[in-house]
Amino acid sequence: MILKVIVVDDEPLAVNVIKNYILKVKELQLEGTFSNAMDASTFLRDNPVDIMFLDINMPYLNGLEFLSTLHQKPFVIMTTAHEEHALKSFELEAIDYLVKPISLPRFFKSVDRVIGLKQGVNKIVNGKDEKPSIFVKVDKKKLQKIFLDEIMVIESLKDYIRIITPTAKYIIHKTLSSFTDELPGDNFIRIHRSYTIAVDKVSVVEGNSVEIGGIRYTIGRSYLNDAKSRILKDLNE
């Protein structure tokens, strides 16, 4: 998994430090650096970004003001020389807050946290195997843990998705395409522009539809051959 990163900071020295740190993490790919929020905003509109390192003190629009304008945010790690803005940063959904000068261990810790959230899979906890799970942000301050083997269907709601399990439904601010890309491909497949399903939860295949949890879901025409081949293969194994 490669995470796309941008750095928004008008201090060349700080930018170089973060760039050098990024090069040390194989999961990170630097997509660009920006000295002001306007240029960064333009880039974000047209390019997918997983992590944004964002300084607070910048010209035109400071980092906090910029963050408050973003409708759909990447994981944001604040970088600043001032500690007093931490609370406001977390209120704006920043994932971490790094005080300059940023040490390499502290950088690694922050990035490792984001990688864990992005992957969403915890293989070992306290030396014991745990069922694969994913953390999703269900409101501004709450991360909800969902076990992957409980997910039945993910439904698109434009800029949001609904994750359906046997016991609950979660609505999160993410696109169906981006969320599907985060799921393991061995069990989750896209069957329609509006649906991604768990193959092992399919109980009935009929025509151009499948049944999961007693509900019928249509398979889109462009997905039909691949989806039915994959589902029927799984059912016959």
Coordinates of all heavy atoms in Angstrom, one line a residue, residues 115-162:
I115 N -1.0 5.0 8.9 CA -0.9 3.8 8.1 C -1.8 2.7 8.7 O -2.5 2.0 8.0 CB 0.6 3.3 8.0 CG1 1.4 4.2 7.1 CG2 0.6 1.9 7.4 CD1 2.9 3.9 7.1
G116 N -1.8 2.7 10.0 CA -2.7 1.7 10.7 C -4.1 2.0 10.4 O -4.9 1.1 10.2
L117 N -4.5 3.3 10.5 CA -5.9 3.6 10.2 C -6.3 3.4 8.8 O -7.4 3.0 8.4 CB -6.1 5.1 10.6 CG -6.1 5.5 12.1 CD1 -6.1 7.0 12.2 CD2 -7.3 4.8 12.8
K118 N -5.3 3.7 7.9 CA -5.6 3.5 6.4 C -5.7 2.1 6.1 O -6.6 1.7 5.3 CB -4.5 4.2 5.6 CG -4.7 4.3 4.2 CD -5.8 5.4 3.9 CE -6.0 5.6 2.4 NZ -7.1 6.5 2.1
Q119 N -4.9 1.2 6.6 CA -5.0 -0.2 6.3 C -6.2 -0.8 7.0 O -6.9 -1.6 6.4 CB -3.7 -0.9 6.8 CG -2.5 -0.7 5.9 CD -1.3 -1.4 6.5 OE1 -1.1 -1.5 7.7 NE2 -0.4 -1.8 5.6
G120 N -6.4 -0.3 8.2 CA -7.5 -0.8 8.9 C -7.5 -2.2 9.4 O -8.4 -2.8 9.9
V121 N -6.3 -2.9 9.2 CA -6.2 -4.3 9.6 C -5.2 -4.4 10.7 O -4.1 -4.1 10.6 CB -5.8 -5.2 8.4 CG1 -5.7 -6.6 8.8 CG2 -6.8 -5.0 7.3
N122 N -5.7 -5.0 11.9 CA -4.8 -5.2 13.0 C -4.6 -6.7 13.1 O -5.5 -7.5 13.5 CB -5.4 -4.7 14.3 CG -5.7 -3.2 14.2 OD1 -4.9 -2.5 13.7 ND2 -6.8 -2.8 14.7
K123 N -3.4 -7.2 12.7 CA -3.1 -8.6 12.7 C -2.7 -9.2 14.1 O -3.0 -10.3 14.4 CB -2.1 -8.9 11.7 CG -2.5 -8.7 10.2 CD -1.4 -9.1 9.3 CE -1.9 -8.9 7.8 NZ -0.9 -9.3 6.8
I124 N -2.0 -8.4 14.8 CA -1.6 -8.9 16.1 C -1.8 -7.8 17.2 O -1.4 -6.7 17.1 CB -0.1 -9.2 16.1 CG1 0.2 -10.4 15.1 CG2 0.4 -9.7 17.5 CD1 1.7 -10.7 15.0
V125 N -2.5 -8.2 18.2 CA -2.7 -7.3 19.4 C -2.3 -8.1 20.6 O -2.8 -9.1 21.0 CB -4.2 -7.0 19.5 CG1 -4.5 -6.1 20.7 CG2 -4.7 -6.2 18.2
N126 N -1.3 -7.5 21.3 CA -0.8 -8.1 22.6 C -0.4 -9.5 22.3 O -0.6 -10.4 23.2 CB -1.9 -8.1 23.7 CG -2.2 -6.7 24.1 OD1 -1.4 -5.8 24.1 ND2 -3.5 -6.5 24.4
G127 N 0.3 -9.8 21.2 CA 0.8 -11.1 20.9 C -0.2 -12.1 20.4 O 0.1 -13.3 20.2
K128 N -1.5 -11.7 20.3 CA -2.5 -12.6 19.9 C -3.1 -12.2 18.5 O -3.3 -11.0 18.2 CB -3.7 -12.7 20.9 CG -3.2 -13.2 22.3 CD -4.4 -13.2 23.2 CE -4.0 -13.7 24.6 NZ -5.1 -13.8 25.5
D129 N -3.5 -13.2 17.7 CA -4.1 -12.9 16.4 C -5.5 -12.4 16.7 O -6.2 -12.9 17.5 CB -4.2 -14.2 15.6 CG -2.9 -14.6 15.0 OD1 -2.0 -13.7 15.0 OD2 -2.7 -15.8 14.6
E130 N -5.9 -11.3 16.0 CA -7.2 -10.7 16.1 C -7.8 -10.7 14.7 O -7.2 -10.6 13.7 CB -7.1 -9.3 16.6 CG -8.4 -8.7 16.8 CD -8.3 -7.2 17.3 OE1 -7.9 -6.4 16.5 OE2 -8.7 -7.0 18.5
K131 N -9.1 -10.9 14.7 CA -9.8 -10.9 13.4 C -9.5 -9.5 12.7 O -9.5 -8.5 13.3 CB -11.4 -11.0 13.6 CG -11.8 -12.3 14.1 CD -13.3 -12.5 14.0 CE -14.1 -11.4 14.7 NZ -15.6 -11.6 14.5
P132 N -9.4 -9.6 11.4 CA -9.1 -8.4 10.6 C -10.2 -7.4 10.8 O -11.4 -7.7 10.8 CB -9.0 -8.8 9.2 CG -8.6 -10.3 9.3 CD -9.3 -10.8 10.5
S133 N -9.9 -6.1 11.0 CA -10.9 -5.1 11.3 C -10.5 -3.8 10.6 O -9.3 -3.7 10.1 CB -11.0 -4.8 12.8 OG -9.7 -4.4 13.3
I134 N -11.4 -2.9 10.5 CA -11.1 -1.6 10.0 C -11.7 -0.5 10.9 O -12.8 -0.7 11.5 CB -11.7 -1.5 8.5 CG1 -11.2 -0.2 7.8 CG2 -13.2 -1.5 8.5 CD1 -11.4 -0.2 6.3
F135 N -11.1 0.6 11.0 CA -11.6 1.7 11.7 C -12.2 2.8 10.8 O -11.5 3.1 9.8 CB -10.5 2.4 12.6 CG -10.1 1.7 13.8 CD1 -9.2 0.7 13.8 CD2 -10.8 1.9 15.0 CE1 -8.8 0.0 15.0 CE2 -10.5 1.2 16.2 CZ -9.5 0.2 16.1
V136 N -13.4 3.2 11.0 CA -14.0 4.2 10.2 C -14.5 5.4 11.1 O -14.8 5.2 12.2 CB -15.2 3.7 9.4 CG1 -14.8 2.6 8.5 CG2 -16.3 3.2 10.4
K137 N -14.4 6.6 10.5 CA -14.8 7.8 11.3 C -16.3 8.0 11.1 O -16.8 8.3 10.0 CB -14.0 9.0 10.7 CG -14.2 10.3 11.6 CD -13.4 11.4 11.0 CE -11.9 11.2 11.2 NZ -11.2 12.4 10.8
V138 N -17.0 7.8 12.2 CA -18.5 7.9 12.1 C -19.0 9.2 12.5 O -20.2 9.5 12.3 CB -19.2 6.7 12.9 CG1 -18.8 5.4 12.3 CG2 -18.7 6.8 14.4
D139 N -18.2 10.0 13.2 CA -18.5 11.4 13.4 C -17.2 12.2 13.6 O -16.2 11.6 13.4 CB -19.5 11.6 14.6 CG -18.9 11.1 15.9 OD1 -17.7 11.2 16.1 OD2 -19.7 10.6 16.7
K140 N -17.3 13.4 13.9 CA -16.0 14.2 14.0 C -15.0 13.7 14.9 O -13.8 14.0 14.7 CB -16.4 15.7 14.3 CG -17.1 16.4 13.2 CD -17.4 17.9 13.5 CE -18.0 18.6 12.3 NZ -18.2 20.0 12.6
K141 N -15.4 13.0 16.0 CA -14.4 12.7 17.0 C -14.4 11.2 17.3 O -13.7 10.7 18.2 CB -14.7 13.4 18.3 CG -14.6 14.9 18.2 CD -14.9 15.6 19.5 CE -14.8 17.1 19.4 NZ -15.1 17.8 20.7
K142 N -15.2 10.4 16.6 CA -15.3 9.0 16.9 C -14.8 8.1 15.8 O -15.3 8.2 14.6 CB -16.8 8.7 17.3 CG -17.0 7.2 17.7 CD -18.5 7.0 18.0 CE -18.8 5.6 18.3 NZ -20.2 5.3 18.6
L143 N -13.9 7.1 16.1 CA -13.5 6.1 15.2 C -14.2 4.8 15.6 O -14.0 4.3 16.7 CB -12.0 6.0 15.2 CG -11.2 7.1 14.5 CD1 -9.7 7.0 14.8 CD2 -11.5 7.1 13.0
Q144 N -14.9 4.2 14.7 CA -15.6 3.0 15.0 C -14.9 1.8 14.4 O -14.6 1.8 13.2 CB -17.0 3.0 14.4 CG -17.8 1.7 14.5 CD -18.2 1.4 16.0 OE1 -18.7 2.3 16.7 NE2 -18.0 0.2 16.4
K145 N -14.7 0.7 15.2 CA -14.0 -0.5 14.7 C -15.1 -1.4 14.2 O -16.1 -1.7 14.9 CB -13.3 -1.1 15.9 CG -12.5 -2.4 15.5 CD -11.8 -2.9 16.7 CE -10.9 -4.1 16.4 NZ -10.2 -4.6 17.6
I146 N -14.9 -1.9 13.0 CA -15.8 -2.9 12.3 C -14.9 -4.1 11.9 O -14.0 -3.9 11.2 CB -16.5 -2.3 11.1 CG1 -17.2 -1.0 11.5 CG2 -17.4 -3.3 10.5 CD1 -17.9 -0.3 10.4
F147 N -15.3 -5.3 12.3 CA -14.7 -6.5 11.8 C -15.0 -6.7 10.4 O -16.2 -6.7 10.0 CB -15.0 -7.7 12.7 CG -14.5 -7.6 14.1 CD1 -15.3 -7.4 15.2 CD2 -13.1 -7.7 14.3 CE1 -14.8 -7.3 16.5 CE2 -12.6 -7.6 15.6 CZ -13.4 -7.4 16.7
L148 N -14.0 -7.0 9.6 CA -14.3 -7.2 8.1 C -15.2 -8.3 7.8 O -16.0 -8.3 6.9 CB -12.9 -7.4 7.4 CG -11.9 -6.2 7.4 CD1 -10.7 -6.6 6.6 CD2 -12.6 -5.0 6.9
D149 N -15.2 -9.4 8.6 CA -16.1 -10.5 8.3 C -17.5 -10.3 8.7 O -18.4 -11.1 8.5 CB -15.5 -11.8 9.0 CG -15.6 -11.7 10.5 OD1 -16.0 -10.7 11.1 OD2 -15.1 -12.7 11.2
E150 N -17.8 -9.1 9.3 CA -19.2 -8.7 9.6 C -19.8 -7.8 8.5 O -21.0 -7.6 8.5 CB -19.3 -8.0 10.9 CG -18.9 -8.9 12.1 CD -19.0 -8.2 13.4 OE1 -19.3 -7.0 13.4 OE2 -18.8 -8.9 14.5
I151 N -19.0 -7.3 7.6 CA -19.5 -6.4 6.6 C -20.2 -7.2 5.5 O -19.6 -8.2 5.0 CB -18.3 -5.5 5.9 CG1 -17.7 -4.6 7.0 CG2 -18.9 -4.7 4.8 CD1 -16.5 -3.8 6.5
M152 N -21.4 -6.8 5.2 CA -22.2 -7.5 4.2 C -22.2 -6.7 2.9 O -22.0 -7.3 1.8 CB -23.6 -7.7 4.7 CG -23.7 -8.5 6.0 SD -25.3 -8.4 6.8 CE -26.4 -9.1 5.6
V153 N -22.6 -5.4 3.0 CA -22.7 -4.6 1.8 C -22.2 -3.2 2.1 O -22.4 -2.7 3.3 CB -24.2 -4.5 1.3 CG1 -24.4 -3.6 0.2 CG2 -24.7 -5.9 1.0
I154 N -21.6 -2.5 1.2 CA -21.3 -1.1 1.3 C -22.1 -0.4 0.1 O -21.9 -0.8 -1.0 CB -19.8 -0.8 1.1 CG1 -19.0 -1.7 2.2 CG2 -19.5 0.7 1.4 CD1 -18.4 -2.9 1.6
E155 N -22.9 0.6 0.5 CA -23.7 1.3 -0.4 C -23.3 2.7 -0.6 O -23.1 3.4 0.3 CB -25.2 1.2 0.1 CG -26.2 1.9 -0.8 CD -27.6 1.9 -0.2 OE1 -27.8 1.3 0.9 OE2 -28.5 2.5 -0.9
S156 N -23.3 3.2 -1.9 CA -22.9 4.5 -2.2 C -24.0 5.5 -1.9 O -25.2 5.2 -2.3 CB -22.5 4.7 -3.6 OG -22.2 6.0 -4.0
L157 N -23.7 6.6 -1.2 CA -24.7 7.7 -1.0 C -24.0 9.0 -1.4 O -23.8 9.9 -0.7 CB -25.1 7.8 0.5 CG -25.6 6.5 1.1 CD1 -25.8 6.7 2.6 CD2 -27.0 6.2 0.5
K158 N -23.6 9.0 -2.7 CA -22.9 10.2 -3.3 C -21.5 10.4 -2.6 O -20.7 9.6 -2.8 CB -23.7 11.4 -3.2 CG -24.9 11.4 -4.2 CD -25.7 12.7 -4.2 CE -26.8 12.6 -5.2 NZ -27.6 13.9 -5.3
D159 N -21.4 11.4 -1.8 CA -20.1 11.6 -1.1 C -20.0 10.8 0.2 O -19.0 10.9 0.9 CB -20.0 13.1 -0.7 CG -19.8 14.0 -2.0 OD1 -19.3 13.4 -3.0 OD2 -20.1 15.2 -1.9
Y160 N -21.0 10.0 0.5 CA -21.0 9.2 1.7 C -21.2 7.7 1.3 O -21.6 7.4 0.2 CB -22.1 9.6 2.7 CG -21.9 11.0 3.3 CD1 -22.2 12.1 2.6 CD2 -21.4 11.1 4.6 CE1 -22.0 13.4 3.2 CE2 -21.2 12.3 5.2 CZ -21.5 13.5 4.4 OH -21.3 14.7 5.0
I161 N -21.0 6.8 2.2 CA -21.3 5.4 2.0 C -22.0 4.9 3.3 O -21.8 5.4 4.4 CB -20.1 4.5 1.8 CG1 -19.0 4.7 2.9 CG2 -19.4 4.9 0.4 CD1 -17.9 3.7 2.8
R162 N -22.8 3.8 3.1 CA -23.4 3.1 4.2 C -22.8 1.8 4.3 O -22.9 1.0 3.3 CB -25.0 3.1 4.0 CG -25.7 2.3 5.1 CD -27.1 2.1 4.8 NE -27.9 3.3 4.9 CZ -28.5 3.8 3.8 NH1 -28.5 3.2 2.7 NH2 -29.2 5.0 4.0

